[in-house]
Amino acid sequence: MAVRGGLVVRVATVAVLLAGMAIGGVAEVAAQSNRVYELRIYTTAEGRLEALLARFGGGEIELFHKHGMKSVGYWVPDDAPDSEDTLVYMLEHDSRESAAASWQAFRDDPKWKAMRSASLIDGPIVTSVESTFLSPTNFSPLQ
């Protein structure tokens, strides 16, 4: 994995903070919940970040919700070059299994297929996707 503009370091820091890691690096995962959080990082083709943001703001997020994915947040890095081509977001799922089912239903949704096709008229948008699943600790406010 290439480190560009410190994004990997920042994302790792966000992941650690969101997961509620203890100071000694030991985390106790909440046993009572299978809920997971999915941290996703999209890198776009040059000049295509605005098209991706327009797609997300133009109905993609509503399709996530329709298929059982809960939005936690959406971010664009503050510093270049990542601010020019990167979207970072987090979703909440009831479990890893529900995440897989939700993503499959999303990919099969005719509205998503039409939205995606329309957004690609001016060329490809996303060049890479990173996905990391996180489980909240028993002391995390997110559990």
Side-chain angles (χ1 to χ4, degrees):
M1 176 183 324
V3 176
R4 293 180 330 128
L7 179 64
V8 172
V9 172
R10 285 195 318 273
V11 169
T13 301
V14 168
V16 167
L17 291 173
L18 289 171
M21 297 297 285
I23 290 175
V26 177
E28 293 182 42
V29 177
Q32 70 274 20
S33 175
N34 290 328
R35 185 175 319 151
V36 296
Y37 295 85
E38 183 179 9
L39 180 68
R40 296 179 66 90
I41 303 170
Y42 287 19
T43 304
T44 65
E46 186 175 343
R48 299 292 281 152
L49 179 59
E50 289 304 318
L52 179 64
L53 298 177
R55 189 171 76 194
F56 268 73
E60 187 166 340
I61 293 170
E62 286 77 9
L63 288 176
F64 288 170
H65 298 167
K66 173 183 173 183
H67 295 293
M69 296 180 265
K70 181 180 174 187
S71 296
V72 175
Y74 299 83
W75 302 270
V76 173
D78 288 338
D79 300 320
D82 299 319
S83 60
E84 300 165 6
D85 68 358
T86 305
L87 171 65
V88 178
Y89 68 99
M90 183 174 280
L91 299 172
E92 178 183 322
H93 305 280
D94 290 335
S95 66
R96 291 288 293 264
E97 295 77 16
S98 69
S102 291
W103 278 114
Q104 189 58 56
F106 173 81
R107 283 189 294 273
D108 292 342
D109 191 306
K111 287 184 180 180
W112 162 243
K113 290 178 181 182
M115 182 184 300
R116 183 178 186 278
S117 293
S119 71
L120 296 176
I121 288 175
D122 294 326
I125 296 177
V126 176
T127 59
S128 71
V129 176
E130 295 178 48
S131 173
T132 303
F133 283 93
L134 305 165
S135 296
T137 63
N138 64 350
F139 49 85
S140 174
L142 294 175
Q143 63 171 331

